[in-house]
Amino acid sequence: MNNIESNVSSTSFASLRVSPERKKELLKFCSNLSINFKNLNLLDLAFHHRSFSNESTEYLHYNNERLEFLGDSVLGLVTADFLYNDMEKNTEGDLSKIKANVVSEKSLAPIAINKMHIDKYLVLGKGEEYTGGRHKAAILADAVEAVIGALYLDSGFDSAKKLVLELIVPEIRKVQQDRGNRDHKTLLQEFYQKKNKDWPVYELVKKTGPDHDRTFWVTVHLGSESFGPESGKSKKSAEQNAARKACIALGVEKD
């Protein structure tokens, strides 16, 4: 559905106006996040996926990709600045890992749904709508970045920074408190290789259950020590669970 009222050509969007109904929706979005937009056209653009513009000759270039590009940089800078000041005793490697975690599609998509409710405001092409684009992680994460970019253009860096911190700091705290999606295999490998030249060895001990509902059991071997077997619905998840058990036993992580 086209939420834009305009008679301008496809190459100029300076005079685009959102419909009264769309304006109410956008104001509701702003209220939910306690943000303000002087130019609602910018916010509206942040929700327009390229599938919409690809299906419209009139709005051929009207999509959020440029705002996403800008917002990605603002998001990265604000997150890096916060981590630099918040974790003064940590190495560059530690900061990079946390930053990569919290600005990833995997973290931004849930933020889009649970905190920003972006799925309700997206403007998609018919094909993308039909295939469930409103709930695709990549589209949602891109829209988060586009909103940040739009707010930066509309209200300046401080406003954009405030929004980013409200969205991202809780995710940073989850990782810091070991409640994020930790890569236990990487943690175990880094710990083990500080004192040994060998790598952790993962052994698939057994598989149980029918073909459509398998459970995998994996043990991890660290030289003469073994941890597991631990189970998972895939071999990869079973390996992660075995690595987590080893990390806890060795004091790398807390239970």
Side-chain angles (χ1 to χ4, degrees):
M1 180 178 178
N2 188 347
N3 295 292
I4 306 163
E5 296 177 349
S6 176
N7 293 317
V8 298
S9 70
S10 61
T11 58
S12 173
F13 303 108
S15 61
L16 285 174
R17 293 180 296 117
V18 297
S19 67
E21 294 78 11
R22 180 64 168 176
K23 182 176 180 179
K24 290 180 181 179
E25 293 175 356
L26 296 175
L27 290 174
K28 182 178 180 181
F29 175 83
C30 291
S31 176
N32 176 60
L33 293 175
S34 299
I35 59 177
N36 293 294
F37 266 83
K38 297 184 286 291
N39 182 1
L40 286 175
N41 289 346
L42 270 174
L43 177 59
D44 188 49
L45 179 59
F47 297 120
H48 279 69
H49 185 250
R50 67 175 177 271
S51 61
F52 166 80
S53 61
N54 287 345
E55 294 181 5
S56 172
T57 56
E58 186 179 3
Y59 302 106
L60 184 60
H61 303 291
Y62 194 84
N63 62 60
N64 64 6
E65 290 186 341
R66 285 168 56 84
L67 288 176
E68 173 204 336
F69 164 78
L70 184 60
D72 175 68
S73 295
V74 175
L75 172 64
L77 174 60
V78 173
T79 303
D81 177 73
F82 178 85
L83 289 171
Y84 180 85
N85 290 291
D86 187 66
M87 303 177 69
E88 295 181 349
K89 296 182 180 180
N90 291 75
T91 66
E92 178 271 341
D94 293 336
L95 305 184
S96 294
K97 287 178 184 178
I98 294 179
K99 177 176 176 286
N101 186 309
V102 300
V103 303
S104 68
E105 179 182 299
K106 191 172 184 179
S107 292
L108 293 180
I111 288 174
I113 291 286
N114 300 324
K115 294 184 178 180
M116 303 175 77
H117 311 296
I118 278 178
D119 54 309
K120 299 178 181 178
Y121 303 93
L122 289 172
V123 180
L124 307 171
K126 293 180 181 178
E128 194 63 67
E129 187 77 70
Y130 180 76
T131 57
R134 198 166 292 275
H135 299 286
K136 289 181 179 178
I139 292 177
L140 290 165
D142 289 349
V144 173
E145 293 176 340
V147 169
I148 293 168
L151 186 60
Y152 168 75
L153 288 178
D154 182 85
S155 303
F157 180 75
D158 287 344
S159 294
K161 178 179 179 179
K162 182 175 183 292
L163 175 62
V164 169
L165 291 177
E166 289 175 355
L167 298 175
I168 293 299
V169 170
E171 303 306 310
I172 291 174
R173 297 303 185 218
K174 287 180 184 179
V175 177
Q176 289 173 332
Q177 297 168 18
D178 194 30
R179 292 190 290 113
N181 295 314
R182 301 293 299 276
D183 184 347
H184 305 294
K185 290 181 66 176
T186 298
L187 290 173
L188 181 61
Q189 179 179 316
E190 290 176 348
F191 172 81
Y192 186 59
Q193 289 192 314
K194 285 180 180 179
K195 299 180 179 180
N196 303 273
K197 294 182 179 180
D198 295 330
W199 293 53
V201 176
Y202 294 87
E203 177 190 5
L204 177 61
V205 177
K206 61 180 178 179
K207 295 183 288 186
T208 59
D211 290 341
H212 68 277
D213 189 24
R214 287 285 195 193
T215 297
F216 297 81
W217 298 80
V218 169
T219 293
V220 60
H221 302 284
L222 303 177
S224 60
E225 291 187 279
S226 298
F227 302 90
E230 295 295 312
S231 64
K233 300 308 292 182
S234 68
K235 183 180 177 182
K236 183 177 180 180
S237 64
E239 289 176 348
Q240 284 285 349
N241 290 334
R244 180 176 184 273
K245 183 172 185 177
C247 285
I248 292 172
L250 296 170
V252 181
E253 295 188 78
K254 295 181 180 179
D255 195 354

